[in-house]
Amino acid sequence: MRGSVLISGASVAGPALACWLGRCGFEVTVVEIAPALRSGGAAVDFRGDLHLAVLERMGVLADLQEVRTGGSPMTFVDERERPLLELPAEFAGGALEVLRGDLARVLHAHSADVAEYVFGDHVVDLRDTPDGVEVTFASGANRLFDLVIGADGVHSGVRRLAFGPEELFISHLGYYVATWDLPRYRELPPGSVGHNQPGRFISVGADRRDPGRAGAFAIFKSPRLDYDRHDVVRQRALIAQAFAGVGWEAPRLLAGLESADDLFFDSINRVDVESWSRGRIALLGDAACGATLGGMGTGAAVIAAYVLAGELVAANGDHRAAFARYEAKVRPYAQACQGGGGRTGKFLAPGRFGARARNAMLGNGFLLRQMLKMGEDLSTGIDLPDYDLTFVTGSGA
């Protein structure tokens, strides 16, 4: 056994890391605050050969291809639903698009036999000692781990406990985003159809899992808002206020907010942490270098998990060297990807003249192809070592 590792977060980065480390002989525990795997969520994508190569090395690519969505075309319309701009499936879907819930399920299935999963609990205290990290959980349990990895997202609890309060690391990028589900009340084209008003965008798309359901997506420009991230009633009110007076399908979509049981609401923000590790504790994925939307965070998280696992194996117990090499290799790539988060709000919810310019530019086939190529080029901006991640006999892999 190479040592014990606690991973906080069972979304994408955490299970990806658990998959590698568990197979290579580490004793891995994954703790997740949610009571079970989260089955909902919007589609996420992987772009370019590099992302697909890492998924194939992990052994999950074939399973993900079986549940691929085929991409999500987007149609922008005016108030009378006359098309203003149509974007192809690959614009948002990349080389491989899957629903976030399907991705979580596949990653969990490939790591559950080599890692312990603890749902409905979370870390409330960390003490980094010479012998390991003493961890206290909300359940009252106390355990000692050789290493702790915070893979618990933009609002990481591990980062808060070990590195400092959230406001030190998160920058508001000027927009808020929301998604929720509602009954399907009309026929919908493939992908999504949406409407712009200056600084606002709202859309609806068919639910691929349930023909009787639909999914709403909204984004609006706003300075930082004061609200409790766990106060769903307040979040619903903020969304309704932001889209008051918007025509098209907005009133019907907002009405669906009241019965939605899977509302996601957050600012579009950027995470910047000066160093991704402190002692025996390190950060991974969005907790280290995230962007709420548009930062290719899913692909970057899978890449980062592979590099962190590879460096921990190569370091043969020297976690400080492993963490330093992991960060040196991944940080420039992750920050380049992260830059897309600052452009997403301006693209989807521009001002009046910005919307006209966007529609004209992307209505040009040549310019659209160039933009797609830029996204693919960005996804290849890292040279991945060929780590010797040899599976340990008896690991169950």
Side-chain angles (χ1 to χ4, degrees), residues 7-16 30-32 37-38 44 100-101 103-105 107-108 117 119 151-153 286 298 301:
I7 301 171
S8 176
S11 179
V12 176
V30 181
V31 64
E32 167 58 46
L37 283 178
R38 293 171 176 169
V44 296
R100 179 174 288 276
L103 175 59
R105 176 179 55 79
L107 292 176
H108 176 264
Y117 275 82
F119 289 97
D152 41 356
D286 284 350
T298 304

Side-chain angles (χ1 to χ4, degrees), residues 74 76 87 91 343-350 358 362 371:
M74 300 172 62
F76 295 79
L87 297 177
F91 185 87
R343 298 187 291 269
T344 301
K346 297 174 183 177
F347 173 80
L348 288 175
R358 175 202 64 197
L362 293 183
M371 183 169 285

Side-chain angles (χ1 to χ4, degrees), residues 147 311-325:
L147 303 173
E311 292 299 338
L312 284 170
V313 170
N316 196 29
D318 186 350
H319 64 274
R320 293 183 183 275
F323 289 163
R325 290 197 295 262

Side-chain angles (χ1 to χ4, degrees), residues 150-355:
D152 41 356
V154 168
H155 301 290
S156 170
V158 167
R159 188 187 62 222
R160 175 177 51 81
L161 291 169
F163 293 73
E166 183 171 293
E167 54 266 27
L168 295 178
F169 311 110
I170 290 188
S171 302
H172 177 56
L173 299 181
Y175 292 82
Y176 283 82
V177 62
T179 63
W180 65 95
D181 71 339
L182 68 159
R184 183 170 174 175
Y185 59 90
R186 54 165 284 188
E187 290 299 316
L188 292 167
S192 64
V193 56
H195 176 64
N196 272 119
Q197 289 289 318
R200 296 177 287 185
F201 174 72
I202 190 166
S203 69
V204 63
D207 189 325
R208 293 181 175 91
R209 300 158 298 178
D210 184 347
R213 305 293 292 176
F217 172 90
I219 183 170
F220 61 92
K221 186 175 183 178
S222 171
R224 188 184 298 274
L225 298 171
D226 182 19
Y227 68 98
D228 184 337
R229 285 199 308 114
H230 304 289
D231 186 347
V232 177
V233 174
R234 172 65 173 156
Q235 293 173 28
R236 288 171 177 159
L238 290 171
I239 298 166
Q241 180 181 348
F243 286 89
V246 175
W248 182 63
E249 300 281 339
R252 190 183 289 267
L253 296 177
L254 293 174
L257 265 174
E258 292 305 314
S259 59
D261 58 5
D262 66 342
L263 173 65
F264 167 81
F265 180 73
D266 201 354
S267 63
I268 296 183
N269 49 50
R270 175 186 173 110
V271 176
D272 295 286
V273 184
E274 183 176 351
S275 173
W276 293 357
S277 63
R278 287 192 177 180
R280 295 175 176 268
I281 302 167
L283 302 175
L284 176 67
D286 284 350
C289 191
T292 310
L293 187 69
M296 296 203 301
T298 304
V302 169
I303 294 289
Y306 170 73
V307 174
L308 178 54
E311 292 299 338
L312 284 170
V313 170
N316 196 29
D318 186 350
H319 64 274
R320 293 183 183 275
F323 289 163
R325 290 197 295 262
Y326 146 69
E327 182 173 347
K329 287 181 171 67
V330 175
R331 179 185 281 274
Y333 168 73
Q335 288 181 328
C337 294
Q338 185 186 43
R343 298 187 291 269
T344 301
K346 297 174 183 177
F347 173 80
L348 288 175
R352 186 181 309 276
F353 297 111

Side-chain angles (χ1 to χ4, degrees), residues 38-57:
R38 293 171 176 169
S39 59
V44 296
D45 62 270
F46 298 93
R47 296 181 177 269
D49 293 339
L50 186 65
H51 289 176
L52 299 185
V54 172
L55 294 174
E56 187 169 23
R57 291 186 200 183

